[in-house]
Amino acid sequence: MKLATLVDCSTEVGATRSRKKKTAALAALIEQTSTELLPTVVAWLSGELPEGRIGVGYAAIWGTLKETTGAEHSSLSVEDVQGAITAIAGASGKGSVGRKRGLLASIFEAATEPERQFVAGLLSGELRQGALAGVMADALATSTGIDLDVVRRAAMLAGDLSRVARVARSEGEAGLRAFRVEVFRPLQPMLAQTAETAEDALSLLGGTGVFDYKLDGARIQVHKEGERVRVFTRGLKEVTRAVPEVVQLATKLPAERLILDGEVIALQPDGRPHPFQTTMTRFGRKVQSRVAELKNDLPLTPFVFDVVLRDDDELLDASLAERAAALDALVPAANRVPRLVTSDVAEADRFVEQALAAGHEGVMAKEPGSTWEAGARGRSWLKLKPSWTLDLVVLAAEWGSGRRSGWLSNLHLGARDPAGGFVMLGKTFKGLTDATLTWQTEQLLAREERRDRHVVHVRPELVVEIAFNEIQTSPRYPSGLALRFARVKGYRPDKTAAEADTIEVVRRIHAGELTLLDALHRAQG
């Protein structure tokens, strides 16, 4: 298959908001894809790499793209690029960095500009095409004629949509129905939608909710059979060696076979959580040889909030209330996420404040009768997570691609420095409607100072309200700080740049001097 064919499909999918049109475009491509190539095509168009990490960082990918000039006409096949990516992932030893960069450069030099952008986005995890796993499951059902519920359940049990695509093509519905819960084969995690308040959550859940603390740790899925334990991340990657504390807990639990869902988090001596970024230092590749040392210096605490398998009992179709009872009988209270079952709004509000006061990021609200619905953001799980907001200044913006072509999209954001100027804290393209994109493109071009390829630098005059989850350290920006999960709430035409939030406020949030409970009170006040 020509790479251009796949890229054209990606562009078409990214250019529409219609789920129906996305599904139709993907289904059409699937139908013309060979069985051998199907897993790769499905993975790429879901924004995933079958190889996982390939040992080339963000800066190297986009730096190599800038250093190379692409081809005028398309000549690459999907197989060509697949082979090069496999070679990059497999390169090791002396000189491997240079070989990886050379292979990457050869792809970029042979690719047209749309192909170059697609490959760079795929490798860096920034492919913005709107074809996530849910839409791809719809497309697989459409192209194969298999019932969508069968496809979704198989994807949940397999934890790998590419594998589901291969089985659907070669074995049909019977092959998909043969998937079962298996220890050591990770399941896709159950996901949540958002509710603004506890009152909203209770209304959506039918009046009664199961509220859990929402910990800002690393999502884990724990599999146990006998004395053997394996631990997987939210992305289904194995991290068993990095979390001996989880293995130690699992081996002590009174069951021969288990699949548990939970979080692991680094806690300070007073029981408050370390920042998410601190917890994640336990998972870096460079620290795997120092696990024993780090276990003493930065211990992790596992918290479990759900059970999917207990011995011979598959609990996927059991209610949350039944799963909670099974969990309580298995896991010590010290390793269970704090929980409240209530129909009272005031009681739920107090529970949210307790979670925030303890340093956590909010709560989850769940329907007591809900079953496991992995891989889709159903309304049976809701997250209530107050966010910090800052009024920041737009310093520059990048031209969009795909459906956002012709608009200035990705915003460069800065906090005010009382000593003069602005300090960049990151970028975001999230939360922007078409109307906002149109307006901001006009406004930013009217303030243009200079251009750097796809970046338009502007006079720092427009103030925008940005919501975010956390301030984390970052070597990418001169301040050493960056926003995590930043998204636009709206522009503030009532404010001037001189009234934007300062870098000192940002530093106080990062230092923990201001908390999410302060953010909640700020939003309420």
Side-chain angles (χ1 to χ4, degrees):
M1 174 184 288
K2 287 186 175 297
L3 178 62
T5 302
L6 187 148
V7 173
D8 287 345
C9 179
S10 174
T11 302
E12 182 180 354
V13 168
T16 179
R17 284 188 170 181
S18 167
R19 189 180 182 103
K20 185 176 180 179
K21 290 181 179 178
K22 291 178 188 289
T23 299
L26 292 168
L29 186 69
I30 288 171
E31 288 172 6
Q32 61 178 291
T33 303
S34 68
T35 300
E36 181 181 11
L37 200 57
L38 185 59
T40 297
V41 169
V42 167
W44 287 9
L45 286 174
S46 300
E48 298 177 355
L49 273 179
E51 296 84 359
R53 292 181 177 178
I54 62 170
V56 181
Y58 180 97
I61 292 166
W62 293 99
T64 304
L65 184 72
K66 290 181 179 180
E67 294 166 2
T68 56
T69 302
E72 185 175 347
H73 301 290
S74 177
S75 62
L76 289 171
S77 67
V78 172
E79 292 89 339
D80 293 333
V81 180
Q82 180 187 41
I85 292 174
T86 300
I88 290 171
S92 61
K94 186 177 180 180
S96 61
V97 173
R99 291 197 300 275
K100 288 175 184 284
R101 290 291 292 264
L103 287 164
L104 190 59
S106 68
I107 297 175
F108 288 148
E109 288 168 352
T112 63
E113 192 56 34
E115 292 169 346
R116 283 158 52 86
Q117 293 296 325
F118 175 87
V119 173
L122 176 66
L123 297 180
S124 64
E126 292 195 346
L127 192 59
R128 302 164 191 166
Q129 59 189 0
L132 299 177
V135 181
M136 184 58 75
D138 293 354
L140 279 173
T142 299
S143 66
T144 59
I146 299 174
D147 184 85
L148 178 58
D149 288 340
V150 175
V151 174
R152 286 177 174 171
R153 188 174 181 86
M156 173 182 70
L157 294 170
D160 181 354
L161 200 54
S162 295
R163 182 183 177 197
V164 170
R166 185 172 59 249
V167 172
R169 172 72 64 81
S170 58
E171 302 176 35
E173 184 169 327
L176 296 188
R177 288 188 179 277
F179 282 101
R180 293 288 183 272
V181 176
E182 292 183 18
V183 179
F184 305 132
R185 187 168 73 187
L187 304 165
Q188 289 183 354
M190 191 157 175
L191 305 176
Q193 293 193 27
T194 300
E196 291 297 321
T197 65
E199 184 176 11
D200 292 339
L202 286 171
S203 176
L204 290 168
L205 296 174
T208 301
V210 178
F211 291 83
D212 292 340
Y213 278 16
K214 188 177 190 312
L215 311 183
D216 194 16
R219 182 86 173 261
I220 54 170
Q221 192 176 119
V222 185
H223 290 237
K224 171 190 175 181
E225 187 165 52
E227 294 298 313
R228 189 182 177 202
V229 176
R230 295 176 68 188
V231 184
F232 302 90
T233 66
R234 176 192 179 97
L236 312 186
K237 306 300 183 185
E238 185 172 0
V239 290
T240 307
R241 287 185 57 200
V243 288
E245 298 94 335
V246 178
V247 175
Q248 183 178 10
L249 171 66
T251 55
K252 294 179 179 179
L253 299 181
E256 281 296 305
R257 300 171 71 241
L258 281 175
I259 298 179
L260 304 172
D261 196 3
E263 297 260 349
V264 65
I265 190 167
L267 298 176
Q268 300 177 51
D270 63 359
R272 296 178 64 82
H274 281 288
F276 173 80
Q277 195 174 23
T278 301
T279 292
M280 294 311 294
T281 60
R282 281 286 302 268
F283 294 85
R285 286 182 299 168
K286 294 182 179 179
V287 302
Q288 293 304 298
S289 61
R290 301 172 51 229
V291 170
E293 173 189 342
L294 289 170
K295 183 183 175 184
N296 292 324
D297 295 343
L298 187 68
L300 296 176
T301 302
F303 288 93
V304 183
F305 54 73
D306 216 332
V307 54
V308 178
L309 178 72
R310 180 193 56 195
D311 291 326
D312 294 327
D313 295 331
E314 290 187 11
L315 300 175
L316 289 172
D317 297 321
S319 70
L320 174 62
E322 293 173 302
R323 301 198 309 274
L327 183 66
D328 291 349
L330 279 168
V331 180
N335 295 106
R336 297 198 303 266
V337 175
R339 183 196 311 142
L340 169 71
V341 182
T342 187
S343 302
D344 184 81
V345 173
E347 189 176 23
D349 283 337
R350 286 194 295 271
F351 189 74
V352 173
E353 292 218 3
Q354 288 171 13
L356 296 175
H360 300 297
E361 64 174 1
V363 303
M364 299 293 299
K366 305 172 183 179
E367 183 184 341
S370 62
T371 58
W372 189 273
E373 300 174 5
R377 293 190 184 277
R379 288 206 168 186
S380 57
W381 281 23
L382 303 168
K383 53 187 175 183
L384 287 79
K385 190 171 66 171
S387 298
W388 274 110
T389 63
L390 288 170
D391 293 328
L392 302 176
V393 175
V394 180
L395 306 179
E398 300 173 13
W399 289 107
S401 59
R403 202 183 66 79
R404 293 191 174 190
S405 293
W407 282 323
L408 285 171
S409 176
N410 203 18
L411 302 176
H412 296 205
L413 305 166
R416 180 167 57 88
D417 187 344
F422 298 90
V423 183
M424 187 168 173
L425 293 171
K427 310 175 186 179
T428 190
F429 59 89
K430 296 181 179 179
L432 295 166
T433 65
D434 289 358
T436 303
L437 286 164
T438 299
W439 180 87
Q440 80 176 20
T441 300
E442 294 173 354
Q443 294 295 318
L444 292 172
L445 289 177
R447 292 166 171 80
E448 179 179 349
E449 290 187 322
R450 60 186 175 85
R451 297 195 184 194
D452 177 14
R453 295 192 68 178
H454 64 292
V455 180
V456 176
H457 299 266
V458 300
R459 295 194 303 275
E461 296 174 352
L462 292 181
V463 178
V464 61
E465 185 180 11
I466 299 294
F468 61 94
N469 288 20
E470 184 185 21
I471 304 291
Q472 59 187 16
T473 57
S474 172
R476 186 176 295 181
Y477 304 115
S479 67
L481 301 174
L483 305 178
R484 179 173 170 235
F485 295 137
R487 60 267 186 203
V488 173
K489 291 198 69 176
Y491 276 88
R492 296 295 305 268
D494 58 320
K495 285 195 170 186
T496 66
E499 298 172 285
D501 282 309
T502 68
I503 188 63
E504 292 306 318
V505 171
V506 176
R507 289 174 179 144
R508 288 186 67 198
I509 297 171
H510 179 254
E513 296 174 12
L514 298 174
T515 69
L516 275 172
L517 187 57
D518 297 312
L520 177 63
H521 292 159
R522 177 177 174 177
Q524 293 172 340

